[in-house]
Structures are given as C-alpha cells and as structure tokens.
Amino acid sequence: MRESRDLYGGTLKLFLDTAHLADIETAVRWGILDGITTNPSLAAKEGLAFRDLIREITDRVSGPVSAEVVSPDADEMVRQGHDLRTIADNVVVKVPMTREGITAGARLVEAGIPINVTLVFSTAQAILAATIGATFVSPFLGRVDDIGNDGLGLLSDIVGTYAAQGYETEVLAASLRHPVHVVEAARMGADAATMPFAVMDKLFDHPLTDIGNERFNRDWEAYQAALSGRAKA
Ligand code: E4P
C-alpha cells in the first residue's frame, strides 16, 4: 500500500479484485496497490475459510479490503458485517445492491462501519448507495459491456451525477477487463479502479519499452566490453 496516499480522496486508487495471496504479495511488492476487493466467487477459489482468508489479506494490505456479506436478510447481513469488521480495521463491508442490502448498509453506516455497495448497474442504484453514505459504490463495467451495453458510459454518468450532487461516496470502477477500462476510469475521474491481477500486470506493458530496454542493455554491454578491452590494451 502506498502509505503517502490519502485513502479517502484524491487521485485514482488501484485495487486488486482477487483473494489470491500470491498475486496480492506481488502487487504489494510493486508498490502500486491501494486496496483489495473480494467477492464470494473469488473467495471460493482459494480453499481457505472466509474469515481466515480475509485475515491473511488484511495482514498483507493496509488499504481498504472489501469483504462481502452473503444473506437474503438484512439482519443477518448486519451481523456478518459487524463480525467481518472484528478481523481488522481496514475491512470494508460489501453489501449487495438489493433492498435488503441497502437496509443493512444503512445500519452498518449508522454504526460507523464503512461499506461498499456492490453489483451496481445503474445511476439510480448509485444514487441509493450515496444516499445511505456508502464509502464506495461499485459499478460493474465489464458485466454491463458483456450484455451489449456501455459500461464506461455508466461510469461517466455516475461520476457526473455524484459531482453534480457533491456526494462523498467514492466511485470504485469494478469488473474491469483490460487496461483501457483503467485509463478511461482515470480520465473520467473515478476514485478507484479494481481489476484482476492479469489486468494490473498488463498496465506495465508496451512493446516499445521492451525493444528500447533490450537495446539499452545490449549497448551497455558493448560499451562495458569496449572499455575493458581498452584497459587491457
Ligand atoms: C468488484 O468488487 C467485483 O468483485 C468484481 O469487479 C466483479 O468482476 P467480474 O465481472 O470480473 O466478476
């Protein structure tokens, strides 16, 4: 986690959308990781009990770590949310964008617990998330694209609506599929972008960087060889 970054305001924060500890460790080492989002499907891949998994993640990441509650019932979601928060102070409780999820989210916010409203697919839903004082709202760009609609258009609309209203909820662009999603999220003024490890990895790449780097290395070696040849002569 970049300690110099203000967690709740400022420039685009980069989150990994994963529960895979090795990938999290790599991104921490790169020095570019601001936080983590998980979901039940991602957790199910890791073969660890959910609380243990979240603890392992919070041991590695000091920024926000979103952990999702799973229940059709608001009371049970609130109970799970309080329980998840006992794992670490940087746990953000993820609630689904349903009537019960918003009901639970409002109560968690009331209790001082930061929440992330997930599964957001419309600006109307994003308004509800901001209304209850969510810390994050997660519009799922890729899944909107998957059904032939405009994920980036949705993001732009939410960012514009929040700016018009002065909502403090941070827009966390989610379900990102490729680096262009990340670049556009930054351009539009999203507060954070969460992406799979493969997408974060691709942010580094450009073929001209590789070609340039190889050439510099080759020239450096030739230069050193020439110097050592001159010294021997
Ligand atoms: C966000 O918090 C979600 O976990 C995530 O971005 C979902 O992305 P997917 O559509 O790639 O599953």
Side-chain angles (χ1 to χ4, degrees), residues 108-171:
L108 289 165
V109 170
E110 190 69 24
I113 293 178
I115 64 159
N116 174 357
V117 177
T118 190
L119 289 168
V120 166
F121 295 94
S122 76
T123 304
Q125 293 177 329
I127 288 172
L128 294 180
T131 299
I132 62 166
T135 298
F136 296 107
V137 63
S138 294
F140 277 30
L141 276 58
R143 293 196 197 183
V144 170
D145 291 351
D146 289 346
I147 60 159
N149 289 342
D150 178 9
L152 284 169
L154 170 65
L155 179 66
S156 166
D157 198 48
I158 294 173
V159 169
T161 304
Y162 275 27
Q165 286 297 320
Y167 288 141
E168 287 178 8
T169 297
E170 295 202 7
V171 181

Side-chain angles (χ1 to χ4, degrees), residues 59-74:
D59 282 351
R60 289 164 172 79
V61 177
S62 58
V65 173
S66 286
E68 194 157 340
V69 293
V70 185
S71 171
D73 172 61

Side-chain angles (χ1 to χ4, degrees), residues 17 37-39 42 66 68 94 116 118 138 140 142-143 146 172-177 194-196:
D17 191 34
T37 53
T38 63
N39 65 40
L42 293 169
S66 286
E68 194 157 340
K94 224 177 178 189
N116 174 357
T118 190
S138 294
F140 277 30
R143 293 196 197 183
D146 289 346
L172 202 183
S175 181
L176 304 185
R177 301 273 196 259
T194 190
M195 65 207 81

